[in-house]
Amino acid sequence: MRNLYILLITMLALFAVHCGEKKAGEKLTSVGSGEGEVSIVAWPGYIERGETDKNFDWVTSFEKETGCKVTIKTAATSDEMVALMNEGGFDLVTASGDASLRLIRGGQVQEVNLDLIPSWSKVDDRLKNAPWHTVDGVHYGVPYQWGANVLMYNTKVFKEAPKSWSVVFKEGKFPDGKSNKNRVQGFDGPIYIADAALYLMYNDKSLGIKNPYELDEKQFKAAADVLREQRKIVPKYWHDAFVQIADFKTEGFVASSSWPFQVNLLKADNAPIASVIPVEGATGWADTTMLHVKAPHPNCAYKWMEHSLSPKLQGDLAAWFGSVPSNLEACKGNALLTDEGCKTNGLDNFEKIWFWRTPESNCGSGKTCVPYHKWVTEMISIISGR
């Protein structure tokens, strides 16, 4: 009887442990004490601990408060982020819209329990139900930061800001009288086809483009042709922010699509650099912190998602990256961002930006569009000169 009693107690204990475990993909119902660490796949500059500049550190305080040590794996492209999340072993990713739907469709991220994120109520209403992280009313992440893919230019060459993206898409002379050939860059990513589509949406109304991520075969070919023409004047494409910074310092480049991050760092180094959103508008990124379906440290991950929305982090990151916070409380009272920082970083440009989306064949209203995998093969062909 005693042995039976011990066996019964052991089975009940095992049952209790099993019931307390979270199955893969199952929403957490409460946040525990944490597992001691959290691993994040992030864009360069998104998770800072003061190593680059001691003024920008939103990791150290989190680690002290929660006991969750943050490890960071930087990724230079959305495709790299998707590949890393497919490999597994990570908790979170700061995914842009051209990755988030792929991660959702591929079952690599899980629904987020918003009840466990108290600061969700502070998220900008324009982002709460954004279609790049919300599918059928289900939220697969927490908005982080957003911004535009700006036209960066050299102010010694352009005394006035360029008015159109044509300066990087079409061969011609710059204001200094020299050709733009070999002096401009394009973005090394399939989603860059949307930039060409946006350019055509404004400059060639006959194509009937209504959304640069929803292109039929004719529209897609026209956008690809713009990039094929651009290929004749572009000697080098960029995807690594720090490599582009070096290119503008030493390789003679004077105009390109870019992020405010590069613009800020170049200007801080006294380079003659400025940026503009041209008349056609711009594509952009609204990044979402998403939770892996098999996150090894879900409690620490939820703690980070809550921390990621704090006004202090949001304001400091916006000042560092040149982005716009998803928690607009950050726009006031932050010493690094200043009360004008959100406006400077493009707060009022939200309606001008076509945020990155994963192109899908079923694009609504009975229309069939060119899916993302064809964007990938087409961009490879363009860059290789085919």
Side-chain angles (χ1 to χ4, degrees), residues 119 122 145 306-318 325-335 337:
S119 294
K122 300 177 181 179
Q145 299 263 303
E306 169 61 20
H307 176 67
S308 75
L309 294 176
S310 69
K312 173 65 172 166
L313 182 156
Q314 287 274 310
D316 289 357
L317 173 54
S326 61
N327 178 358
L328 297 184
E329 286 185 7
C331 293
K332 297 295 180 183
N334 184 288
L337 183 62

Side-chain angles (χ1 to χ4, degrees), residues 166-297:
S166 62
V167 297
V168 297
F169 283 140
K170 300 180 69 174
E171 186 171 358
K173 287 187 176 181
F174 280 156
D176 61 2
K178 300 177 183 178
S179 171
N180 63 351
K181 191 172 184 179
N182 298 326
R183 302 170 75 195
V184 298
Q185 289 184 326
F187 181 63
D188 176 12
I191 206 66
Y192 189 51
I193 294 172
D195 290 60
L198 182 61
Y199 171 75
L200 291 174
M201 191 164 77
Y202 183 90
N203 291 293
D204 189 351
K205 299 290 195 299
S206 67
L207 287 167
I209 298 174
K210 303 298 182 185
N211 185 318
Y213 306 104
E214 298 178 357
L215 306 175
D216 61 26
E217 292 287 351
K218 180 181 178 181
Q219 296 164 342
F220 182 76
K221 181 181 183 303
D225 286 345
V226 168
L227 296 188
R228 282 195 166 80
E229 283 300 306
Q230 183 197 45
R231 183 68 183 90
K232 297 174 183 178
I233 61 173
V234 168
K236 184 178 183 179
Y237 291 82
W238 76 274
H239 66 258
D240 186 303
F242 293 101
V243 172
Q244 187 182 47
I245 288 170
D247 287 343
F248 266 69
K249 285 182 177 180
T250 63
E251 299 296 323
F253 292 105
V254 297
S256 176
S257 65
S258 189
W259 301 329
F261 179 62
Q262 291 95 295
V263 176
N264 281 1
L265 289 184
L266 282 164
K267 289 172 73 173
D269 203 26
N270 296 316
I273 292 295
S275 65
V276 67
I277 294 181
V279 65
E280 295 94 351
T283 60
W285 31 269
D287 296 339
T288 306
T289 304
M290 309 184 84
L291 180 63
H292 197 285
V293 69
K294 295 181 180 178
H297 315 107

